[in-house]
Amino acid sequence: MPGSESVTVHRNEAASPRLASSGGGRRLSRRWIAGGLAVVLILALVLVLAWYRIAGQRAEQVEVMWTGVPECTGADVVSHTEKGPLGEESWSGPLIQAEREMRCVITVEVRNHSGGNVHLDHALLPFMGPDGGAVIKADTTADTDVWRTPPDIGIDSLRLLDVTLHHGETTTFDISLAFRESGCSGGPGGGGRTWVEGFPTVTVTTLGRTIDRPALDDLSFTQMSPSRGCGRMARD
C-alpha cells in the first residue's frame, strides 16, 4: 500500500523464555523426584529395621518355663545328673522313667515381661507326634480340639494356644504325655537317655512378627518297660 511501512519482526527462538524454562524445569523435576524416592526408600528401610529389632526385643522378653517337675502316674520321676568327659556337670534335671500305662503332665508357664502385647499362637512338641519314634508321645485323648499335627511333619505335635498376653501377664497350659508302644528309646531297663532341648517351643507373634521361644527346661526320659517298637527293631 502506498505510504505504508512494512515491519519485519525477527523472533529469537533460542532466547524464548518459555522454551528455556521448560527444559530446565524437566531436568529439575527429575532430580527432585529421584532425591525424594531415595529419601523415602531410606526411611522405609530404617522403619523396617526398627520394627524388626523392636519386635525381636519384645519377643525375647517372653519367658517359657515349667512350673515344676513332671507329675506322673505309673512312672517315676528322678533327679538325674550327667557328667562330661572331664567330670564336669553337663546336664541336670528331672528324668522320666517311662513305663507302660503311664501318664505324665507338665504344666508350662508363659510370662510376658515385655512392654507390649504378645500373642501366643501354639506350642510345638518335637518328636511327640503320631509318627514319632520315641517311647513317649503327646497324649491327645484329652482336649482333642487343641491338638494338631503340623503338615508333612507327623513326628511333631502342636498344642493350640491362641492367647494374648498384655504387659506383665502370665498364663499356664498343660502338656500330657503317654507311653508309645510303637516307639523305642534305648530299650527296656533304662539303657539310654533321650532328651528334647527347650521343651516345648512356643510360637509368639508381636507387632506382626512371629518368633519361636523355647522353654528354659528340657524334656528327659529313659525307657523302663519293653515296647513293640524295640522288639521290631531287634528283629530287623
Side-chain angles (χ1 to χ4, degrees):
M1 179 178 296
S4 63
E5 296 182 359
S6 61
V7 179
T8 303
V9 178
H10 297 279
R11 185 175 180 181
N12 188 350
E13 296 290 342
S16 172
R18 182 177 62 84
L19 293 177
S21 61
S22 63
R26 282 196 298 270
R27 289 192 296 271
L28 188 60
S29 298
R30 289 169 184 163
R31 292 195 188 99
W32 276 105
I33 291 172
L37 288 175
V39 171
V40 169
L41 290 175
I42 292 172
L43 288 176
L45 178 60
V46 170
L47 290 174
V48 168
L49 292 176
W51 160 78
Y52 191 86
R53 183 170 178 269
I54 292 172
Q57 289 177 338
R58 183 177 292 186
E60 288 176 358
Q61 296 179 59
V62 175
E63 193 173 53
V64 182
M65 66 177 67
W66 299 358
T67 60
V69 300
E71 297 183 3
C72 296
T73 56
D76 293 328
V77 180
V78 299
S79 179
H80 180 75
T81 300
E82 290 193 359
K83 300 291 185 179
L86 300 179
E88 74 281 8
E89 182 178 305
S90 60
W91 186 89
S92 179
L95 177 72
I96 299 175
Q97 297 181 328
E99 302 267 11
R100 278 180 172 149
E101 307 300 328
M102 62 159 258
R103 185 176 184 273
C104 297
V105 177
I106 299 174
T107 300
V108 181
E109 181 178 80
V110 184
R111 301 176 180 175
N112 180 17
H113 297 297
S114 74
N117 299 341
V118 298
H119 186 265
L120 311 182
D121 301 330
H122 58 259
L124 175 69
L125 284 60
F127 313 114
M128 299 292 115
D131 297 336
V135 79
I136 283 183
K137 65 178 181 178
D139 182 5
T140 61
T141 57
D143 299 326
T144 56
D145 57 326
V146 303
W147 292 100
R148 298 288 186 274
T149 301
D152 304 324
I153 313 178
I155 63 173
D156 299 335
S157 187
L158 288 180
R159 190 194 188 285
L160 303 182
L161 299 175
D162 193 18
V163 175
T164 297
L165 292 182
H166 302 285
H167 167 65
E169 289 186 338
T170 299
T171 189
T172 60
F173 62 92
D174 290 339
I175 292 174
S176 297
L177 302 174
F179 191 85
R180 190 201 309 266
E181 275 289 348
S182 62
C184 185
S185 298
R193 181 176 75 90
T194 303
W195 71 95
V196 183
E197 294 185 10
F199 183 87
T201 296
V202 175
T203 299
V204 179
T205 298
T206 179
L207 297 177
R209 185 182 171 194
T210 300
I211 301 172
D212 292 334
R213 294 293 294 158
L216 300 177
D217 306 272
D218 302 331
L219 174 65
S220 179
F221 55 91
T222 188
Q223 180 178 347
M224 304 302 293
S225 295
S227 65
R228 292 195 303 269
C230 287
R232 185 169 56 251
M233 291 176 63
R235 290 192 298 272
D236 295 341

